[in-house]
Amino acid sequence: MPMTLCPCFGDRNTDDDEPADRDPVLLVSGMGGSILNSKPKKFGFTTRVWVRFFLADLEFRKKIWSVYNPDTGYTETLDQKSDIVVPEDDHGLYAIDILDPSLFTKCIHLTEVYHFHDMIDMLVGCGYKKGTTLFGYGYDFRQSNRIDKLMDGLKAKLETAYKASGGRKVNLISHSMGGIMILCFLSLHHDDFVKYVNKWICLACPFQGAPGCINDTLLTGLEFVDGFESYFFVSRWTMHQLLVECPSIYEMMANPDYKWKKQPEIHVWQKQTKEDGESNISLESYGPVQCTSLFDEALKNNELTYDGKTVSLPFNFDILEWAAGTRKVINNAKLPDGFSFYNIYGTALDTPFDCCYGSKESPIEDLTDICHTMPEYSYVDGDGTVPSESAKADGLEAIARVGVAAAHRELLRHERVFELIKKWLGAEPTDTKKSKTSKVADADAVKPMVL
């Protein structure tokens, strides 16, 4: 075995090993879970724009800021000289493994960008072989989960895995929004799903939306990393100016037709001044349907400057209409008879649900000021991003639903999750080393639930 001098030079090569008898596995990432590159249309160097830590905000603004085209349904970059592409290296696994694969990131082992990395290692240790029984599907997560390019890409990847393994059906493992995309594929390409897919293990999917996270994303933006590292990363507002034009975000808004235990709301302490000069302070509340009027008012002056030109970015009602169509597609998804579906969801973390802007002492006078105001949240149980209520409400016949006390992205490397995956795939490690014991108490599967 070669000597390893630094963690960035780990050996994951298993080409000399005899592959175990395994059905193929396809790993499907979620929102922000794929490397995105900017590739010049004519000539020049391809640049990684997501994820990167050095010059992150600058390159993001230059290469990936986009606007939605209602005629095509696609979100298109403002940079007319390049295209956004997802690398296909390592049978699709490279794009979802370490999201910033720079030497610096590998050497310090920055956990936030080690995405499917540990799961890939676990599966390789269980006898899966890249390109034969192990594949990845990264995609342009700006786009709608039902857009043709993503659907065609998933079909092609399933067909590749099916053929490479000698005609064996594929086991899907999805994370977060990847589950929404698979539901769209199930609904729109049902025959292909039946032909190619054997089992589906779903992690942390916002089946009914992620209200607190998505509502605040549309109003103030989103940060993918916390603490000191955030200073080297894409800023919250820079990210906002992209996501407000992304159908994928609108498709994860709270489902207004779902019977929530309590309807998610946005609260605004608002100061209104009458003609006689007297002012009134009141707490206004907006539910899943009413919140669109708030988004419309709060974002009416939202704009960015690109290449010397001003681009208006209000709340996009064309995208909202498209997202409503996606919800109909999802509602029509039906699993084949006898299909094996498993759902793992995160628990035990405070997860944003309601957002409140302003306070009685410091109310909002102009609703456009909300976009520069940090909210106070009310919390429910979940993984810190997706409420467990939403993640459990898949509306499908499940073999098991299991809650694991872990954060949204932590589920991708959690020992309890790995134990469940190995059990459901029927795959144990091919070496003699004992697997680590989970430090999280067992969470028994609940009975199948049809919604």
Side-chain angles (χ1 to χ4, degrees):
M1 180 179 294
M3 182 180 296
T4 301
L5 300 176
C6 176
C8 53
F9 299 112
D11 184 11
R12 306 172 81 198
N13 188 356
T14 60
D15 290 344
D16 296 332
D17 297 336
E18 186 70 22
D21 184 27
R22 301 283 187 249
D23 291 328
V25 166
L26 175 62
L27 306 176
V28 181
S29 63
M31 182 69 198
S34 306
I35 291 175
L36 298 182
N37 290 334
S38 175
K39 182 180 180 181
K41 293 180 178 179
K42 293 184 177 180
F43 56 86
F45 294 104
T46 297
T47 304
R48 175 165 36 83
V49 291
W50 181 266
V51 172
R52 61 183 297 140
F53 278 87
F54 294 108
L55 301 177
D57 203 72
L58 175 63
E59 292 295 334
F60 197 92
R61 290 169 179 250
K62 286 169 51 181
K63 300 294 186 181
I64 203 172
W65 265 355
S66 309
V67 292
Y68 178 72
N69 185 340
D71 294 329
T72 64
Y74 285 89
T75 291
E76 302 168 354
T77 55
L78 293 170
D79 179 13
Q80 300 295 313
K81 299 179 181 178
S82 62
D83 294 317
I84 296 298
V85 297
V86 179
E88 288 289 338
D89 311 58
D90 207 15
H91 312 286
L93 294 166
Y94 173 82
I96 63 173
D97 186 343
I98 305 174
L99 300 183
D100 180 354
S102 65
L103 188 63
F104 169 77
T105 301
K106 290 182 179 180
C107 285
I108 66 172
H109 198 95
L110 191 60
T111 305
E112 286 82 355
V113 298
Y114 273 63
H115 202 54
F116 270 99
H117 180 82
D118 291 353
M119 189 177 294
I120 292 170
D121 276 355
M122 180 273 289
L123 291 168
V124 169
C126 289
Y128 289 88
K129 186 176 177 64
K130 296 178 181 180
T132 303
T133 54
L134 183 57
F135 301 83
Y137 183 51
Y139 53 92
D140 183 354
F141 49 80
R142 298 174 303 159
Q143 310 299 345
S144 165
N145 286 286
R146 64 180 170 102
I147 203 76
D148 288 346
K149 185 176 181 180
L150 269 60
M151 295 290 93
D152 293 344
L154 179 56
K155 179 182 176 181
K157 188 66 70 172
L158 285 168
E159 185 175 7
T160 296
Y162 179 81
K163 291 180 177 179
S165 59
R168 300 176 74 156
K169 285 191 173 184
V170 182
N171 294 324
L172 291 170
I173 301 177
S174 65
H175 178 249
S176 192
M177 190 181 74
I180 300 297
M181 184 174 64
I182 290 175
L183 277 180
C184 291
F185 187 83
L186 171 61
S187 179
L188 297 172
H189 300 267
H190 190 268
D191 290 344
D192 292 316
F193 190 94
V194 171
K195 179 179 179 180
Y196 293 123
V197 182
N198 179 40
K199 298 178 181 178
W200 176 19
I201 300 173
C202 180
L203 310 179
C205 180
F207 286 105
Q208 305 303 330
C213 177
I214 297 301
N215 285 341
D216 191 40
T217 293
L218 286 168
L219 289 170
T220 74
L222 181 67
E223 286 182 316
F224 275 80
V225 296
D226 300 318
F228 178 73
E229 291 88 354
S230 64
Y231 291 99
F232 301 95
F233 202 54
V234 178
S235 73
R236 185 183 186 92
W237 192 245
T238 297
M239 183 65 71
H240 173 272
Q241 300 298 64
L242 169 69
L243 297 183
V244 77
E245 288 290 298
C246 291
S248 54
I249 288 294
Y250 289 65
E251 290 168 349
M252 291 188 289
M253 293 172 66
N255 180 4
D257 298 322
Y258 176 66
K259 303 301 181 184
W260 297 89
K261 294 177 182 177
K262 174 199 168 297
Q263 285 284 306
E265 293 180 311
I266 301 174
H267 304 291
V268 181
W269 283 100
Q270 192 168 353
K271 181 179 180 180
Q272 296 176 327
T273 303
K274 302 177 182 179
E275 292 182 0
D276 59 7
E278 291 188 9
S279 61
N280 178 54
I281 298 174
S282 61
L283 182 62
E284 304 294 331
S285 298
Y286 304 82
V289 175
Q290 297 83 7
C291 68
T292 57
S293 63
L294 174 64
F295 294 144
D296 184 34
E297 185 66 23
L299 294 170
K300 65 182 181 182
N301 298 328
N302 186 45
E303 61 186 26
L304 60 78
T305 301
Y306 186 86
D307 198 23
K309 299 178 181 178
T310 299
V311 180
S312 179
L313 296 177
F315 181 71
N316 199 311
F317 282 93
D318 287 326
I319 301 181
L320 183 66
E321 182 179 358
W322 177 280
T326 301
R327 177 56 62 182
K328 292 180 181 178
V329 168
I330 291 171
N331 290 341
N332 289 331
K334 303 295 180 185
L335 291 173
D337 291 339
F339 185 83
S340 297
F341 169 71
Y342 306 87
N343 184 345
I344 298 176
Y345 57 92
T347 65
L349 273 78
D350 287 339
T351 301
F353 193 71
D354 293 342
C355 303
C356 182
Y357 298 90
S359 63
K360 191 172 183 179
E361 294 74 24
S362 182
I364 302 291
E365 295 192 49
D366 188 331
L367 289 179
T368 59
D369 292 337
I370 291 176
C371 296
H372 307 286
T373 305
M374 294 304 294
E376 292 288 335
Y377 296 114
S378 66
Y379 297 93
V380 294
D381 181 64
D383 62 18
T385 299
V386 180
S388 57
E389 180 184 2
S390 174
K392 288 190 291 185
D394 47 65
L396 304 171
E397 290 279 4
I399 301 296
R401 294 185 183 86
V402 181
V404 176
H408 190 66
R409 283 176 283 178
E410 185 187 1
L411 288 166
L412 288 171
R413 57 181 180 273
H414 199 281
E415 284 295 332
R416 175 60 174 150
V417 173
F418 289 176
E419 290 171 5
L420 291 167
I421 288 174
K422 286 183 282 189
K423 174 183 175 182
W424 293 336
L425 293 180
E428 294 301 324
T430 54
D431 56 29
T432 58
K433 296 179 181 178
K434 295 182 179 179
S435 61
K436 297 179 180 178
T437 303
S438 175
K439 295 182 180 179
V440 178
D442 270 3
D444 295 328
V446 300
K447 294 180 180 179
M449 172 178 59
V450 180
L451 301 175

